[in-house]
Amino acid sequence: MAVYSEPSGVFQPGISIKLKAKTNNTLRITDNRTGNEYIVPIDRNSINAMSFKQMKAPRDVNVPCDQTEYGIRVYDPGYGNTAVSESSITYNDGLKGILCYRGYNIGDLVTKKGFADTQYLLLWGHLPSPQEKAQWQKDLASVSQPQKSVFDVIRSFPPDSPPMAMIIAGLSALQATQKELTPAYMARDIYLKNPNLVDSQCVTVLASMAMISAASYCHHTGQKFNEPDPNMSYVENMLWMMDHTDPATGRPNPKYVRCVEKLWILIADHEMTCSTAALLQTASSLPDALSALISAVSAFYGILHGGALEVAYKNIAEVGSASNAQAKIDRVKRKEERLFGYGHRIYRVTDPRAVFIKEMLDELKDEVDRDPLLKVAFAIDDIAQKDEYFTSRGLKPNADLFATFVYKALGFPADFILPLTVMSRTQGLMAHWKEAMAGSARIWRPQQLYKGDFGKKLDE
């Protein structure tokens, strides 16, 4: 029997070589097809999938498509147990209810720091000094408005079009005005290991995303678009551009600004989500930042990801009134309908963000009480939180769903809640893009298991 070890990424036949890692920090694998045994290092509770490439067997002439002579492949539909990258940005533990940005607990950040601090932390890895924070806000405010053609593209949509479509088109239109920032157009890589340009793009994309989203909102709702005010904070400016202002002052309501800032701290990033993976998959081919962001936004629109929030609200509206909430729950329990917004792929305990979002809803009690749709939503939640069907399965409301309740209480239409959520996530997405551009060039190219026909011949 041959014994193989992998001290430096390459298997060597013969006597097992002593590993640099602790001897008990390895995985011993016996391939019963060949009788060969392999020792694979375990690093940070993970093994390198390429280790399996050395576990070869003679070619199976009956099933040649399995390619047994090329080594074992790891089959993991949907990345259920696959780490595709290393990151220093966000950590979460769904079984213990822990969420951290750059090592800081989310509870500390939301209670002790502002949104500008969190943006800076995600992107640059440390909390800003007062001087750095002031310069960061100045940099965001100094970004020029997109060209008129970008706004024309947004306004070319019928006003009742989905706002997400307007935003995606607006981002594409912005990309078209920045040819010199498109690697393929320039015929060379311009971002990898180029931190100055990457940092500049992070600032431009964040500021432009706010302007494009605000323009989409105004076109969708018939509000006037206010040009950005360089003296306002990022969130305050967003509300100002949307003309989401207090009639008494003509300025954004400070209470609402604080609510949105706290909310955006809580949902600025959530590690390797579907949309983050989409961004990084696209970024691995080395396009510009906007191409990667468009991929992420498009993925977020799916009903199994961010789009579930829009579906949840439409489902709530269909319930009609709080008195019909029990009937809705009963249909869900009979598996006749789904209750979108409940259950989470990561969390099996209370989402650490939910506590703070509920506090915000308590602060907005008057606004909540005036909204009939929110009354239905809370009636459904009251029943679900106590029903054994939900409690026994650990089906708790997604924190993002409660975040939508905050937006609704602030007066935003239900069909613009998803774009607002995307805006809050853009800071985290750009942090991941920035981190990727500091790495090495390696395109993401997953494999597949072919299960179709093989060896067919055309009739003579």
Side-chain angles (χ1 to χ4, degrees), residues 193-213:
K193 308 292 187 183
N194 187 352
N196 291 335
L197 182 58
V198 168
D199 290 353
S200 172
Q201 273 298 91
C202 287
V203 175
T204 299
V205 169
L206 285 172
S208 300
M209 181 65 165
M211 289 184 268
I212 288 170
S213 298

Side-chain angles (χ1 to χ4, degrees), residues 140-404:
L140 285 171
S142 66
V143 175
S144 300
Q145 285 192 59
Q147 292 183 19
K148 180 178 178 295
S149 61
V150 175
F151 293 101
D152 288 344
V153 166
I154 293 170
R155 290 163 186 155
S156 70
F157 282 76
D160 62 351
S161 299
M164 287 288 284
M166 298 182 196
I167 291 171
I168 292 170
L171 291 172
S172 295
L174 176 64
Q175 180 192 46
T177 67
Q178 301 177 346
K179 298 188 295 293
E180 72 283 358
L181 295 173
T182 304
Y185 183 86
M186 298 300 292
R188 62 186 175 86
D189 168 45
I190 58 177
Y191 293 110
L192 199 68
K193 308 292 187 183
N194 187 352
N196 291 335
L197 182 58
V198 168
D199 290 353
S200 172
Q201 273 298 91
C202 287
V203 175
T204 299
V205 169
L206 285 172
S208 300
M209 181 65 165
M211 289 184 268
I212 288 170
S213 298
S216 300
Y217 174 82
C218 292
H219 180 58
H220 182 63
T221 60
Q223 301 281 101
K224 68 171 182 176
F225 175 79
N226 294 322
E227 293 193 2
D229 186 332
N231 298 311
M232 291 183 177
S233 71
Y234 186 81
V235 169
E236 188 179 15
N237 227 331
M238 186 267 300
L239 295 175
W240 165 252
M241 289 187 289
M242 292 177 172
D243 202 32
H244 201 284
T245 54
D246 187 335
T249 64
R251 311 292 283 180
N253 185 327
K255 176 183 174 182
Y256 291 0
V257 172
R258 287 194 302 272
C259 276
V260 174
E261 288 191 340
K262 289 176 68 175
L263 194 58
W264 282 15
I265 291 172
L266 293 169
I267 56 180
D269 190 51
H270 208 233
E271 202 218 54
M272 189 57 68
T273 64
C274 172
S275 49
T276 307
L279 175 132
L280 292 173
Q281 175 92 35
T282 300
S284 75
S285 70
L286 301 184
D288 59 296
L290 288 169
S291 292
L293 181 60
I294 289 167
S295 292
V297 174
S298 299
F300 197 79
Y301 200 15
I303 63 170
L304 293 184
H305 194 14
L309 304 177
E310 190 164 319
V311 175
Y313 252 100
K314 289 179 178 177
N315 287 173
I316 290 169
E318 290 170 357
V319 172
S321 68
S323 61
N324 297 328
Q326 183 63 61
K328 169 69 176 178
I329 293 294
D330 291 341
R331 291 193 296 274
V332 171
K333 291 164 64 175
R334 291 195 299 268
K335 301 189 184 322
E336 295 173 2
E337 297 179 9
R338 292 185 64 176
L339 188 59
F340 283 86
Y342 280 74
H344 199 285
R345 183 165 175 173
I346 298 297
Y347 294 109
R348 295 296 178 266
V349 295
T350 300
D351 189 322
R353 303 168 296 175
V355 175
F356 302 101
I357 295 174
K358 286 183 177 180
E359 289 178 359
M360 279 182 259
L361 288 167
D362 288 340
E363 295 173 15
L364 296 168
K365 186 178 184 306
D366 291 342
E367 288 87 347
V368 170
D369 289 343
R370 291 195 295 266
D371 192 314
L373 192 59
L374 286 177
K375 289 181 181 179
V376 177
F378 281 107
I380 292 172
D381 184 58
D382 285 342
I383 298 171
Q385 294 276 31
K386 300 169 186 174
D387 193 292
E388 190 271 340
Y389 178 90
F390 291 89
T391 57
S392 65
R393 291 168 171 78
L395 296 175
K396 300 178 181 293
N398 192 313
D400 286 323
L401 177 63
F402 271 101
T404 69

Side-chain angles (χ1 to χ4, degrees), residues 101-145:
Y101 298 158
R102 302 286 189 180
Y104 292 100
N105 186 281
I106 193 68
D108 286 339
L109 291 172
V110 77
T111 57
K112 299 175 183 177
K113 291 295 178 179
F115 181 64
D117 300 297
T118 303
Q119 280 183 308
Y120 196 97
L121 172 68
L122 287 169
L123 285 161
W124 277 276
H126 66 273
L127 290 167
S129 66
Q131 295 78 14
E132 288 172 326
K133 183 176 178 179
Q135 184 61 49
W136 166 241
Q137 293 178 307
K138 182 178 179 181
D139 289 344
L140 285 171
S142 66
V143 175
S144 300
Q145 285 192 59

Side-chain angles (χ1 to χ4, degrees), residues 81-113:
N81 190 39
T82 297
V84 294
S85 68
E86 293 181 300
S87 179
S88 302
I89 300 169
T90 300
Y91 170 79
N92 64 36
D93 184 331
L95 297 180
K96 295 180 180 177
I98 298 172
L99 177 63
C100 301
Y101 298 158
R102 302 286 189 180
Y104 292 100
N105 186 281
I106 193 68
D108 286 339
L109 291 172
V110 77
T111 57
K112 299 175 183 177
K113 291 295 178 179

